[in-house]
Amino acid sequence: MTADRPAGGGDVTVAGMTRAGAAAGRVMADGAPVGEPALESVWESVVAALDTGDLDLVADRVLALDEHARREVAAALPAHIPVAEERAAARWHEREATRAREGEAAWRAYVRAAEREGRTVAEDERWRWDAQWFRSRTHGSGESWGAPLRVAGAAAIGGAAAVVAWLNRRDLQDRWSWDRRTATVLERVLSARPAAWQADFAARATLRLRDTPRRRAARDPMAGLVLAMLRRSGATPPRHDPLVVAWATGTPIAAELREDPLLDHLLPRLFEAEGVGGLLRDERADPPAPRSWLAALGTLQREGRIGRDVLLDGCLRRFLRGGQAADLRFFVRLHELLDPTYDEVSKRRHDYLRLLPVAPGAVAEPMLRHLRRLEDLDPDEVTEAVRALLSRGERKLLTAGLTWLDEVARDPAAELESLAPALGYAFACESADVQGRAVRLAVKHAKRFGEAGARAVREAATVLPQELGETLASVFGGEAAEDPRESGGFVPVPLPPAVSAAAFPGPVVVAEDLEALPDGGRWEAAELWLAGVVRLYGSDRDGLAVRLAGLMPGVAPPAGRWQAVWHWAWEIARLVTAAAEGSGGSVLAAGVSRLPEAGDVPGPHLFLLRRWAEVCEAIEAGTLPPYLLAEPTSTTGHLDGAVLVERLAGYERAGVEALPADLGQALLRLPRATAPEVVARAGRLTSAAGRAVARWMSGERPEPVAEIGWWYYPPAGTPGCGDRRVYREDREPAGTGAVLYELTAHLHLTPPPGDGPTGDRLLGEERVAEPAPVGGQPVCGEPVCGEPVAGPPLAAEPLGGAVEHRLKEHDGYLRWWPYLMPSDREAVAAHLVPHLTERWLRARAEPAQAWALARADGPMGEAGALVQAYFVADRAWCADPEERARPLVELAARGELAAEEVGRQLALLVRRTDLKPGPVFETLESAAALGAHREVWRIMTGFLAVFLPGPGERPHTRHAQGLTFALRAARWAAARGAVACVAEIAQRRASNNFVREARRLHTYLT
């Protein structure tokens, strides 16, 4: 067989062979001339076999050649790679085109058959048809070009190193290059070589294996061929970790592993190679699966095929090498499956002891269990073990170390002075239970520690809480360190003044100042545009038409209902320009409304659109007033009452009737408090709109009260619910497997004092039917929030009824909602509630709405508190806790913060969602630093009442952390007076950290 030689290159002949190779082929090995047509016919036959993609045909065709012809084929193969790829791509495209034609013909036949049956084919059927048709496609043999070239090179190339390099060429990769069939044919081709050549190939190919991800299906594609050649040749495998990982990837049964010639070579390396532990980490041991390494190794060691010492020593070597706990899991399970005997553990005691201080907890725990079986450990070994355990950070191992220390101390002859410093590690443990146990043990055996030991205990006691430090000091002397939590350096500051609202920009009175048609941007721009159009329509109609003609976009609104503001702005502009041109006419057919149906869009958005729609109708009917009543006078959206009365007086003088939606918007923008002289002036108005405003200013306005619904996906297997939603009002879903689905709200209207049913006399409209409240017990199915409000007046329309989340593009206008109802923050908050948890949607509530609500008017109830609480707790919106605290501080400065209700909603969010208490405490601490320290304590009283575990609930670390923060908040506010839920916990007999923190807080408050 010839030695390794470089592959030839150069131009390709028509037959596909290089000219250099063809010229070299004119002379045979012995110098005799050979005809070029005969040589080209050999190459053409190889190319023809390659084009078929039949690996067996390629192998047979090349193996049948003599040595000289093989050399020439080997020289021609590199230049043929791009040719083969191009031809395979052409065959693939031709096959896909044929398949597409067949699919189209089949689809047409399907449609004709449906028409004969009198059935209409739906639009989505074509998509489902195509998906089903193309899902069943399989690649043809002629589409693979990499695998045939690999086989040809393996059969034609001479040297083992050159074959390894050929098989690893990156430009031979295609999607079908390495399947089981390819490896089988390659093994057959390579097995035709001499044994020494095969062994050389196997060794070289082994060292070319690469590291792969920790998945059984992700090993190096050559791994199967390498393992097969190593087994076939009987060569000693080189030391190479990827080879061991590849061997471990093929999960064996005992019979296969018993006969594997690689077992004796690779088994010791199984415990040393990186990646094996990660690969086998998920094998189960209780009991092992029949086809698994745990089962196979266990069977072979019981038969004696594998020695127990090999496995036990291998596991210990692997543990001592260290690593992640998950990567050692397989070896821990193997070690425990072997169940080492007393003598086996005793013989390896030093290795077990070495593992106690450094091994991951999952390794150290079984090592400790085996060591504790030994009865002949000498005092030095016991001391070493106890020190190691007390130096651990895991509560379970620390407790085991304290237990062992207590047992040692019972022996009067035992020396404890050397163990005293180790108690310092237990004192520093985060677990209050471990700290308390260590202190009790130190006090119990205080006389056994000696002078040096007592000094070490005193020095270590500085990390203990103050009460535990005082307990130690009473026995060992010294002084307890001051609890660092007692001194926070907090200096109270007064609340900042409330932020003053700026005046709203003046109206547009010149046509050239009118801006582009508004969309979902700033609400101020939309207000100025609409008000400007109305004013200019009466004062400069021609100039307005010219300006709007230049502003109109080239795209008209879609057919159907108009849900975006720009749709109505476009229609207003079209009506104005058409009237100026004398064409007139509306795009709205008689009796056809473009307004969305009630329930298709959120209530505030429908209310917003009504105002724009009625301007369109007024332009068409010639009843457009000279100005709008609801033009705001403040950037908060408020409308000064005196300005509204003056506007209405102007209407009465001009004999103009108010537009209903505009009047409703004006009422909603009135502040809560109006000067008596303004109310008196309103009472002198004579129009129906004036009388309605007078009643509203006099206090006859409905008050919205929100009720929140928490909806969950029920746990799998809930009887009678299937995949429907479950409403939970009082019971917590924690621990049940339920997942929060959405938040909903319902607004109830309470009547003004001395009025009939809610809104009975508002604007002379009919009564408002009060809906039934949400029920108490969990039910299955869709939310039921009571009957809809029947015929509400326009001003009360967004203030009452069910609040639902409609996932539409128009939901982006929700940032305008606080400025539609600036005196009813609870109603706005209720409409925002369903948008809080939908983070992945484009339309969602944002911190800007929380700030707008802080500057609004009106009582804060359950919904307003929930919106503020959400942005206090949600760090995803803003990482700066001071910024998250500013709405709370603003509300506190205004004296309008429902602090206890905010605390209650914070606790519900932490209990019922994935929000954590850490960001809550960060934000509250920032609020306290800004001057709201008294309000923060009030928030914490509401928070603790819901957050702390009730009867039957198990306390966790976060509950103790909540009590710790509450103590800090109480100190900031100098609070006094017991809190019922804290007092109940403080009276319990337990001594864990949770109860201890409750006692500290209760002691301070009382």
Side-chain angles (χ1 to χ4, degrees):
M1 194 66 64
T2 60
D4 293 348
R5 55 182 293 178
D11 297 332
V12 182
T13 64
V14 175
M17 187 173 183
T18 63
R19 292 193 178 94
R26 295 193 181 100
V27 180
M28 295 182 60
D30 57 0
V34 178
E36 183 175 338
L39 185 58
E40 289 190 354
S41 64
V42 169
W43 173 244
E44 289 175 355
S45 68
V46 173
V47 170
L50 291 171
D51 288 343
T52 66
D54 187 334
L55 302 184
D56 287 308
L57 177 61
V58 173
D60 294 340
R61 188 71 53 86
V62 179
L63 289 175
L65 300 177
D66 59 21
E67 182 179 344
H68 173 72
R70 289 187 194 177
R71 286 200 303 269
E72 299 304 330
V73 169
L77 282 174
H80 188 66
I81 291 175
V83 177
E85 183 177 5
E86 183 178 354
R87 290 181 179 180
R91 290 191 294 270
W92 182 85
H93 286 297
E94 181 179 355
R95 185 168 182 263
E96 286 299 301
T98 302
R99 185 174 179 82
R101 290 193 297 270
E102 293 173 352
E104 183 64 26
W107 167 252
R108 292 178 180 176
Y110 173 79
V111 172
R112 288 194 296 271
E115 291 174 350
R116 287 194 297 270
E117 296 172 0
R119 182 175 62 85
T120 302
V121 178
E123 293 181 1
D124 64 332
E125 286 191 58
R126 179 58 188 263
W127 178 86
R128 289 188 282 109
W129 171 277
D130 289 343
Q132 182 66 29
W133 178 263
F134 288 100
R135 189 183 299 123
S136 60
R137 75 175 299 276
T138 57
H139 72 273
S141 59
E143 296 175 21
S144 175
W145 57 272
L149 283 173
R150 290 181 191 274
V151 171
I157 298 173
V163 173
V164 171
W166 174 258
L167 294 179
N168 281 280
R169 285 182 66 124
R170 292 188 176 181
D171 54 358
L172 283 182
Q173 299 291 341
D174 71 1
R175 70 185 76 177
W176 305 292
S177 284
W178 282 105
D179 53 17
R180 184 172 299 178
R181 180 62 184 160
T182 302
T184 301
V185 176
L186 284 172
E187 182 183 355
R188 177 169 72 87
V189 169
L190 297 177
S191 64
R193 306 290 185 123
W197 190 98
Q198 294 182 41
D200 185 24
F201 170 85
R204 293 175 182 273
T206 295
L207 298 177
R208 291 292 298 269
L209 292 178
R210 301 182 301 273
D211 292 326
T212 55
R214 296 180 177 184
R215 303 192 307 271
R216 291 186 185 273
R219 67 178 183 177
D220 191 306
M222 272 197 64
L225 177 63
V226 171
L227 290 170
M229 294 306 297
L230 285 170
R231 292 182 177 112
R232 176 179 291 275
S233 65
T236 300
R239 299 190 66 85
H240 191 51
D241 284 359
L243 172 67
V244 184
V245 175
W247 182 62
T249 302
T251 308
I253 59 176
E256 296 170 348
L257 191 59
R258 184 187 301 112
E259 304 301 328
D260 190 349
L262 298 178
L263 175 62
D264 295 328
H265 296 292
L266 298 185
L267 179 61
R269 305 183 201 172
L270 197 70
F271 303 96
E272 302 168 359
E274 290 298 326
V276 172
L279 178 71
L280 305 180
R281 62 195 294 179
D282 294 326
E283 282 205 4
R284 308 304 303 177
D286 47 356
R291 179 171 286 278
S292 69
W293 278 97
L294 288 175
L297 293 175
T299 300
L300 294 188
Q301 69 86 19
R302 286 191 296 271
E303 296 175 355
R305 174 66 176 85
I306 300 175
R308 286 176 59 85
D309 288 346
V310 173
L311 299 180
L312 286 173
D313 291 338
C315 288
L316 290 176
R317 286 200 314 275
R318 187 64 187 86
F319 297 151
L320 291 170
R321 288 169 62 92
Q324 299 292 328
D327 293 344
L328 299 176
R329 186 185 302 152
F330 167 79
F331 303 103
V332 172
R333 289 172 175 168
L334 176 59
H335 182 274
E336 295 306 289
L337 195 65
L338 294 172
D339 191 17
T341 65
Y342 185 97
D343 291 339
E344 288 173 332
V345 173
S346 180
K347 184 171 64 174
R348 297 171 174 84
R349 67 176 65 190
H350 296 297
D351 288 336
Y352 285 106
L353 286 169
R354 289 172 60 194
L355 289 170
L356 285 184
V358 295
V363 177
E365 288 178 17
M367 302 303 105
L368 171 63
R369 187 169 58 252
H370 291 299
L371 278 173
R372 293 285 273 161
R373 294 162 51 193
L374 302 182
E375 300 174 354
D376 57 346
L377 289 174
D378 60 45
D380 290 340
E381 291 172 333
V382 172
T383 300
E384 180 184 355
V386 173
R387 281 178 177 168
L389 293 172
L390 293 180
S391 68
R392 302 289 306 216
E394 299 90 335
R395 173 177 174 173
K396 188 173 183 180
L397 292 172
L398 269 169
T399 303
L402 292 173
T403 301
W404 204 345
L405 175 59
D406 194 22
E407 294 175 4
V408 171
R410 294 173 190 169
D411 181 3
E415 188 271 322
L416 301 185
E417 187 170 337
S418 60
L419 290 175
L423 278 175
Y425 296 113
F427 292 164
C429 179
E430 294 182 358
S431 170
D433 291 342
V434 173
Q435 287 180 328
R437 185 169 182 176
V439 169
R440 290 192 298 272
L441 191 149
V443 170
K444 178 181 178 181
H445 304 292
K447 297 179 180 179
R448 303 281 308 282
F449 286 103
E451 183 178 349
R455 184 169 55 253
V457 170
R458 286 195 300 270
E459 293 174 354
T462 57
V463 299
L464 286 169
Q466 188 170 2
E467 61 272 23
L468 293 179
E470 291 172 352
T471 301
L472 273 184
S474 65
V475 177
F476 289 89
E479 295 182 359
E482 182 182 356
D483 194 328
R485 295 171 295 185
E486 302 293 338
S487 56
F490 179 80
V491 178
V493 298
L495 279 166
V499 177
S500 300
F504 195 78
V508 177
V509 294
V510 178
E512 288 74 14
D513 293 341
L514 197 66
E515 296 183 354
L517 273 64
D519 193 5
R522 297 170 57 250
W523 73 276
E524 300 94 332
E527 284 287 345
L528 288 170
W529 191 91
L530 184 63
V533 167
V534 172
R535 287 177 178 271
L536 291 169
Y537 189 80
S539 62
D540 184 11
R541 190 171 305 180
D542 293 338
L544 174 64
V546 172
R547 177 62 176 168
L548 290 177
L551 294 177
M552 285 188 67
V555 180
R561 306 285 180 170
W562 290 349
Q563 298 180 348
V565 165
W566 81 265
H567 298 160
W568 296 98
W570 183 91
E571 176 63 7
I572 291 172
R574 193 201 62 77
L575 288 172
V576 172
T577 55
E581 296 170 359
S583 57
S586 171
V587 299
L588 305 179
V592 177
S593 174
R594 294 286 190 179
L595 273 174
E597 295 284 350
D600 285 347
V601 297
H605 187 65
L606 181 58
F607 181 76
L608 169 68
L609 296 181
R610 288 190 193 280
R611 191 160 168 246
W612 289 75
E614 73 179 4
V615 170
C616 290
E617 296 170 359
I619 292 175
E620 263 199 306
T623 58
L624 190 68
Y627 49 82
L628 294 177
L629 296 175
E631 295 179 26
T633 57
S634 169
T635 52
T636 61
H638 283 102
L639 169 59
D640 185 82
V643 174
L644 177 58
V645 170
E646 181 60 33
R647 290 174 183 172
L648 281 168
Y651 271 28
E652 292 183 0
R653 289 192 298 270
V656 176
E657 289 190 12
L659 301 178
D662 184 43
L663 177 58
Q665 177 65 90
L667 291 175
L668 291 176
R669 282 182 166 157
L670 284 174
R672 288 269 169 167
T674 305
E677 61 272 18
V678 176
V679 176
R681 288 172 52 200
R684 293 193 289 271
L685 296 172
T686 59
S687 62
R691 292 194 299 274
V693 169
R695 290 197 300 271
W696 192 280
M697 288 183 174
S698 300
E700 296 185 11
R701 59 175 296 155
E703 193 66 63
V705 178
E707 183 178 11
I708 306 300
W710 298 72
W711 293 82
Y712 295 87
Y713 284 119
T718 302
C721 285
D723 60 352
R724 293 175 293 170
R725 291 176 286 169
V726 175
Y727 175 65
R728 299 175 183 268
E729 181 178 354
D730 301 317
R731 295 190 297 176
E732 290 294 333
T736 65
V739 178
L740 181 66
Y741 174 76
E742 67 175 352
L743 292 167
T744 60
H746 190 92
L747 284 166
H748 306 281
L749 291 178
T750 60
D755 202 359
T758 306
D760 185 20
R761 292 160 44 206
L762 288 177
L763 304 183
E765 297 287 344
E766 57 189 89
R767 294 173 180 266
V768 179
E770 185 66 24
V774 179
Q777 295 300 321
V779 294
C780 295
E782 292 299 312
V784 178
C785 294
E787 296 298 324
V789 177
L794 290 181
E797 181 180 88
L799 299 181
V803 176
E804 298 181 4
H805 191 177
R806 301 295 181 184
L807 308 182
K808 303 282 188 180
E809 181 181 357
H810 60 72
D811 279 4
Y813 293 103
L814 59 85
R815 61 175 62 94
W816 294 12
W817 295 354
Y819 307 99
L820 301 181
M821 299 174 280
S823 295
D824 292 281
R825 62 159 60 96
E826 183 69 358
V828 177
H831 286 286
L832 292 174
V833 161
H835 298 263
L836 289 177
T837 56
E838 304 291 341
R839 300 184 190 177
W840 58 275
L841 295 170
R842 187 179 73 102
R844 55 194 179 187
E846 300 174 357
Q849 277 92 65
W851 175 249
L853 290 179
R855 301 180 63 202
D857 287 340
M860 175 186 288
E862 191 176 356
L866 177 57
V867 171
Q868 296 297 341
Y870 186 85
F871 292 110
V872 165
D874 189 7
R875 189 186 285 161
W877 281 108
C878 178
D880 184 0
E882 185 172 317
E883 287 300 315
R884 299 200 302 269
R886 290 198 179 278
L888 291 184
V889 176
E890 177 68 15
L891 284 164
R894 293 169 177 267
E896 299 171 354
L897 176 64
E900 290 80 3
E901 184 61 30
V902 170
R904 177 176 173 272
Q905 296 299 328
L906 279 169
L908 290 175
L909 286 170
V910 172
R911 288 178 70 100
R912 297 178 173 182
T913 71
D914 59 352
L915 295 174
K916 307 300 182 186
V920 172
F921 301 149
E922 288 177 358
T923 308
L924 294 182
E925 184 169 357
S926 294
L930 292 172
H933 45 280
R934 295 183 181 88
E935 288 77 8
V936 166
W937 167 243
R938 290 172 51 207
I939 289 173
M940 287 306 298
T941 60
F943 179 83
L944 293 176
V946 178
F947 175 69
L948 295 179
E953 291 186 80
R954 184 177 180 180
H956 296 282
T957 303
R958 64 178 186 170
H959 296 126
Q961 293 171 348
L963 289 167
T964 302
F965 181 80
L967 176 58
R968 297 177 62 204
R971 292 182 183 277
W972 298 337
R976 288 294 181 266
V979 177
C981 60
V982 177
E984 186 276 326
I985 298 169
Q987 294 171 3
R988 298 179 187 177
R989 300 184 62 182
S991 60
N992 54 50
N993 195 36
F994 171 66
V995 175
R996 188 158 43 250
E997 291 297 322
R999 288 174 185 157
R1000 293 178 66 238
L1001 175 58
H1002 182 68
T1003 300
Y1004 174 79
L1005 293 173
T1006 56

